[in-house]
Amino acid sequence: MTLAPADSVSVSRRVLFDASRTLGLDTEGAEPMRIAENAIWRLPGKLVARISRPGGTPAASREIAVANWLAGHGIPAVRPAPGIAQPVTIDGRAVTIWEELPPHRDGNVGEAAYLLKALHALPEPDFDLEPLEPFGKIRTRLDQAKAIKETDLEWLYSYTDSLEEAWLRLIENPGLSRCVLHGDAWVGNVAAAEDGTAYLLDLDSFTVGPREWDLTSTAVKLTSTSNITQH
C-alpha cells in the first residue's frame, strides 16, 4: 500500500465519504490501498473507489466508457460497479466505483503482450478518444516543478521541444498504423489472477495512435535497465 502525507489521506477520505453518501454506499471499514495521483480505497462488498485529482471528471467519464467498451468486446479489465451512475464529482474530484479484482499478482511481459494484441485488434469505439499526445503531461509537470534549478528547467523544456519535433516527424510515417491504445501499458498495469486470467488496469490514458507506443515502456526497461524477465 502506498500512502501520501496524512493531509492527502484526510482529503480523499472526506471526498470518499461525501461521494458514498450520494451513491448510497457503505464506507464502514474502508481502507486506503494507494494514495498517489489517484486515491484508491477498498470498500465493503468487494468494491474499490478511485478518486481523481481535481479536474479529473472528463478523464473519469472516459475511463468508465472505455471499461464498458472493453467488457462488450470480452477484454479482461477492471469493471465499473453495476447499477451506479458515475462518476460523481466532489470538490472537483471525480469518484468512480469498481468491482474488486480477485487475488492477483503483477502481470509479466507475456501477459501484457497478450492483452495488447487483443486490444489493438479492436475497432475504434463510437465515443471520442483523443489522439495520442505524449508531451502535454510532461510540460504540466515541468510547469509545476519547484525544486529544479532555472537553468536545468530551461534545458528540460528545450529537450522536450526537440523530442516533440522528432515525434511529429516520426508519426508522419505511413507505415505506422493507427489503433486504440492503452496509453500507459506496462506490467504494473496488468494484474494476473490465480486462475490465469490477466486484466488491464488504469484505463484513464486510453487514446488512439500508432500501436508501437504501447511497447515503449517495455522497450525502455529492456534497453535502459535490463530488468525484464521473460516468462
Side-chain angles (χ1 to χ4, degrees):
M1 178 176 69
T2 302
L3 291 182
D7 58 341
S8 297
V9 178
S10 176
V11 167
S12 69
R13 188 187 301 275
R14 178 181 54 78
V15 170
L16 173 66
F17 178 77
D18 289 348
S20 297
R21 240 185 352 187
T22 298
L23 296 171
L25 296 176
D26 179 18
T27 58
E28 183 70 29
E31 300 175 349
M33 301 170 65
R34 178 167 61 90
I35 310 294
E37 183 165 350
N38 295 288
I40 312 296
W41 289 76
R42 179 181 286 114
L43 305 181
K46 296 185 177 180
L47 298 177
V48 171
R50 180 183 174 103
I51 303 170
S52 77
R53 301 175 80 176
T57 298
S61 298
R62 184 175 65 248
E63 189 173 14
I64 293 293
V66 165
N68 289 326
W69 175 72
L70 290 173
H73 286 280
I75 302 293
V78 287
R79 302 286 188 237
I84 296 176
Q86 47 181 326
V88 171
T89 302
I90 304 292
D91 294 342
R93 300 173 186 266
V95 181
T96 49
I97 310 297
W98 303 81
E99 297 178 352
E100 185 174 7
L101 291 176
H104 58 271
R105 56 167 172 79
D106 285 347
N108 59 43
V109 175
E111 289 158 343
Y114 177 84
L115 288 169
L116 289 176
K117 182 179 180 181
L119 170 65
H120 293 169
L122 296 182
E124 293 187 26
D126 57 4
F127 54 87
D128 288 336
L129 287 175
E130 295 181 1
L132 174 62
E133 196 291 288
F135 299 97
K137 184 177 287 189
I138 295 173
R139 289 196 176 90
T140 297
R141 297 297 170 83
L142 291 177
D143 292 343
Q144 296 170 344
K146 304 296 184 184
I148 302 177
K149 292 191 300 184
E150 186 65 29
T151 53
D152 292 340
L153 198 57
E154 290 175 0
W155 183 87
L156 288 168
Y157 276 118
S158 176
Y159 187 56
T160 300
D161 290 342
S162 67
L163 289 175
E164 184 172 30
E165 291 172 4
W167 165 256
L168 292 174
R169 290 195 299 270
L170 176 66
I171 60 175
E172 291 176 356
N173 186 332
L176 295 177
S177 59
R178 163 185 164 125
C179 68
V180 175
L181 306 176
H182 180 279
D184 188 21
W186 65 294
V187 292
N189 277 338
V190 173
E194 294 173 351
D195 66 359
T197 303
Y199 298 86
L200 282 174
L201 312 178
D202 285 355
L203 311 180
D204 55 340
S205 295
F206 261 65
T207 183
V208 176
R211 69 191 66 220
E212 288 82 359
W213 178 260
D214 272 345
L215 307 179
T216 54
S217 178
T218 300
V220 166
K221 289 182 178 180
L222 179 63
T223 57
S224 66
T225 61
S226 299
N227 66 352
I228 294 296
T229 300
Q230 297 292 341
H231 295 278

